[in-house]
Structures are given as structure tokens and as C-alpha cells.
């Protein structure tokens, strides 16, 4: 029981609420996810990945208890047609950041069993090549929430 409480505290610390010493070389800011449209079981998630280390890193996987799987997707226009394709990784330069945002790279939640409703938070685990697993909670919102910084 004690162990579970410690894990819960860690998850809260990792989602960027409050200050405190930064122990992880990679952190996530300004995350959010879109509500699932009626009758559709997919959603997109957006985050800013900030690399505080001297080593370039890469987001290589994502998963959530709320989706059958979470893909890394890239979006581009082919004429008037919006196309999405999977990418193997998202690079995060040393002492740099990368923003996943609408119209570009995003997290794709596939197989969402329980619709994402506005106001709730979606737990997501992001796996990085060097930093390992970073847990975040993405608030569900129709548009990007105001920046927290
Ligand atoms: Cu997508």
C-alpha cells in the first residue's frame, strides 16, 4: 500500500505541477488532448517536450490506459488532402524543445473505449531513448489551454 502512494506522488511530480528540484532530464509542458468526436474512437494529443540535458533524445513510444495503442503521427497536406502517417520517433535536441501541435506531429490515441470528455485528464506514458519513461496527464480540451509558464 505504501508503495502505491509513493508511485502516485511520483506521477503527480512528473506532470509538471509545482516547482521543486528537476530530477528528470526531460520534461513535458503544455500537454492536452482533444475530446473524442461522437462515434469516433480516436483522439489526438499534443505536448511540448523539453530536453534539459547535454544529449539529444528522442520520443520513441507512447501508451495510455485509455487507448488500445498510442501512435506517433505526422500530418501533412497533400494538395487539399490532409494525410497522417506514423513516424518511428520524434527527435528532441540537447538543450532544446519540440512542440507537437495541431497540423503537425501528434500523439494518436487509437481504440479509445471510453470517450475523452472535456475537463478530464488522460494519463500517458512517454518513452524516451535516454530519459526513459515520463508520465504525464493531459487535460482534455477543444483547443490548446493557455500556457502554464
Ligand atoms: Cu494522427
Amino acid at each position: 500500500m505504501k508503495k502505491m502512494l509513493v508511485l502516485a506522488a511520483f506521477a503527480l511530480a512528473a506532470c509538471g505541477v509545482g516547482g521543486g528540484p528537476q530530477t528528470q532530464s526531460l520534461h513535458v509542458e503544455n500537454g492536452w488532448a482533444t475530446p473524442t468526436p461522437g462515434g469516433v474512437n480516436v483522439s489526438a494529443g499534443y505536448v511540448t517536450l523539453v530536453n534539459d540535458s547535454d544529449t539529444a533524445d528522442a520520443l520513441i513510444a507512447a501508451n495510455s490506459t485509455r487507448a488500445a495503442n498510442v501512435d506517433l503521427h505526422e500530418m501533412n497536406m497533400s494538395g487539399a488532402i490532409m494525410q497522417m502517417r506514423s513516424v518511428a520517433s520524434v527527435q528532441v535536441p540537447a538543450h532544446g524543445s519540440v512542440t507537437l501541435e495541431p497540423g503537425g506531429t501528434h500523439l494518436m490515441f487509437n481504440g479509445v473505449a471510453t470517450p475523452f470528455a472535456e475537463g478530464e485528464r488522460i494519463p500517458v506514458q512517454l518513452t524516451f531513448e535516454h530519459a526513459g519513461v515520463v508520465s504525464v496527464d493531459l487535460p482534455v480540451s477543444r483547443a490548446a489551454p493557455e500556457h502554464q509558464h
Side-chain angles (χ1 to χ4, degrees):
M1 194 49 153
K2 227 167 203 167
K3 199 169 191 180
M4 280 179 65
L5 287 174
V6 170
L7 282 173
F10 176 76
L12 284 175
C15 74
V17 177
Q22 189 72 49
T23 51
Q24 227 151 2
S25 61
L26 205 140
H27 70 273
V28 176
E29 293 177 356
N30 305 319
W32 58 291
T34 59
T36 45
V40 177
N41 66 347
V42 298
S43 170
Y46 306 102
V47 284
T48 296
L49 309 173
V50 183
N51 184 353
D52 304 310
S53 79
D54 296 331
T55 311
D57 210 336
L59 174 63
I60 52 174
N63 58 72
S64 171
T65 54
R66 296 289 303 273
N69 62 72
V70 183
D71 278 343
L72 306 177
H73 266 186
E74 201 173 68
M75 196 176 256
N76 29 48
M77 294 299 288
S78 170
I81 299 167
M82 191 90 88
Q83 290 186 325
M84 293 197 296
R85 66 184 185 92
S86 291
V87 291
S89 64
V90 177
Q91 302 299 315
V92 192
H95 296 290
S97 69
V98 62
T99 298
L100 279 59
E101 55 193 345
T105 309
H106 54 276
L107 304 172
M108 193 87 201
F109 297 91
N110 297 302
V112 174
T114 307
F116 291 2
E118 255 181 300
E120 67 171 333
R121 299 179 80 90
I122 308 302
V124 180
Q125 290 191 311
L126 301 173
T127 304
F128 295 88
E129 201 173 3
H130 296 291
V133 175
V134 177
S135 297
V136 291
D137 277 326
L138 304 184
V140 177
S141 172
R142 284 182 192 282
E146 270 181 51
H147 280 206
Q148 297 144 14
H149 290 260

